[in-house]
Amino acid sequence: MKLYDSTIKKSLELAGSQLTPLSQSSSWKNLDEKVFIFPADSAVELGASDKDSSYLIAYTTDENLVNKDEILLRGKDIKDLKGDEPFARIAILLIDDSKHQDEQKIYRFLRDIEYKRYKVNPDGYMIRVNTNQLREGARVSKDAVKKGISFAHVGKILQDAYKKDENVKAVKQIFITDPSFDFKTFEGVAKLNEGITVTLDHILKNLKMDCNTCSFKDICDTIEGMRDIHKREDYEF
């Protein structure tokens, strides 16, 4: 799968090289159900501002982009944050797509992996997602901060959720709280990334389309491999 490689490369470029590796050993509890945290009980609001809150999840078969599980941080960890803070999260999944050569199933396969995050409820960390605007943030309770919650704990729970799918071979996650991060450019990359998935779904529904008037034409013209899928010829996802 090469469809997302360009947005992955741009995201990694924006994240930069000054990233702190975090532990992948965690026993932090993942609750069975989401628990609401009231504002009065909150210590940190991640991504509280729409202009400083985005997420991206992308998939690849290129081990040069991700070849092992990693949890990385740019900026301060939760214990050093307070009040409203900017937030972004990048998740890059190395996948084995050999069992998903049926093109009609590839979209469902990708969405099923993405939706696994809705089963993630770290104790004291209330994830908030707006898929329409590609926003992801979280409210962290005072109690969780006192107990030592960190992005390592959150990242490990997310990693375990993604890897419940046997086709996910490795997960690289980058948590970003650095206010100097280029959130505006990243938001554009995230929108293009989501557009790839939506366009893929549009193509695979066997809809009769006029490429000259299709609203997804720019993505097909930009993303390597998209036109191959459109032509229904031999292609590499």
Side-chain angles (χ1 to χ4, degrees):
M1 175 175 286
K2 296 181 178 180
L3 294 179
Y4 299 89
D5 285 6
S6 61
T7 54
I8 290 173
K9 290 173 183 177
K10 184 60 178 179
S11 297
L12 293 175
E13 178 186 327
L14 288 170
S17 58
Q18 301 302 310
L19 303 174
T20 302
L22 302 181
S23 172
Q24 296 179 56
S25 176
S26 172
S27 59
W28 198 267
K29 188 175 182 181
N30 185 39
L31 304 177
D32 293 333
E33 296 182 358
K34 187 172 184 176
V35 176
F36 185 80
I37 299 172
F38 292 96
D41 298 322
S42 171
V44 184
E45 297 278 350
L46 296 171
S49 169
D50 283 346
K51 67 179 180 180
D52 295 334
S53 169
S54 293
Y55 73 87
L56 178 146
I57 178 169
Y59 316 87
T60 186
T61 54
D62 187 348
E63 293 188 4
N64 291 316
L65 296 175
V66 51
N67 56 24
K68 62 181 180 179
D69 293 331
E70 290 183 282
I71 303 171
L72 305 167
L73 174 63
R74 172 175 168 173
K76 296 179 180 179
D77 211 333
I78 295 174
K79 67 181 177 64
D80 297 315
L81 300 173
K82 186 176 181 180
D84 294 351
E85 297 281 0
F87 181 73
R89 186 173 69 89
I90 300 169
I92 306 168
L93 280 62
L94 180 69
I95 63 170
D96 177 3
D97 63 355
S98 61
K99 297 179 182 178
H100 292 273
Q101 291 303 307
D102 181 348
E103 59 192 65
Q104 297 299 326
K105 295 180 180 178
I106 190 69
Y107 172 81
R108 188 71 266 157
F109 165 59
L110 299 181
R111 285 302 196 201
D112 283 348
I113 295 175
E114 179 182 348
Y115 292 162
K116 289 185 183 300
R117 68 179 169 186
Y118 294 109
K119 298 292 186 181
V120 170
N121 301 296
D123 189 11
Y125 186 98
M126 185 178 74
I127 296 176
R128 298 185 291 187
V129 179
N130 183 331
T131 55
N132 291 328
Q133 296 186 13
L134 299 178
R135 307 296 186 197
E136 179 178 302
R139 176 174 290 168
V140 189
S141 73
K142 295 174 183 176
D143 186 56
V145 172
K146 287 180 181 179
K147 291 179 179 177
I149 191 171
S150 69
F151 287 121
H153 297 131
V154 177
K156 184 61 168 66
I157 292 173
L158 282 160
Q159 181 188 105
D160 290 346
Y162 290 135
K163 296 192 76 175
K164 284 182 179 178
D165 190 309
E166 61 180 6
N167 299 294
V168 177
K169 299 164 65 177
V171 181
K172 175 185 285 188
Q173 293 180 88
I174 305 173
F175 291 87
I176 298 168
T177 60
D178 182 356
S180 70
F181 177 69
D182 190 348
F183 284 93
K184 184 175 181 180
T185 299
F186 179 65
E187 180 180 356
V189 177
K191 287 180 178 178
L192 175 58
N193 190 80
E194 172 64 10
I196 294 170
T197 308
V198 173
T199 304
L200 180 63
D201 180 44
H202 189 64
I203 292 172
L204 297 184
K205 282 180 177 176
N206 285 321
L207 299 177
K208 207 169 184 179
M209 293 175 290
D210 179 353
C211 291
N212 292 321
T213 60
C214 180
S215 59
F216 299 105
K217 183 177 185 300
D218 288 347
I219 292 179
C220 283
D221 289 344
T222 302
I223 301 302
E224 179 184 357
M226 192 66 78
R227 281 196 171 276
D228 292 336
I229 297 174
H230 198 297
K231 293 175 183 178
R232 308 284 181 175
E233 295 175 353
D234 293 337
Y235 56 81
E236 181 179 0
F237 276 121

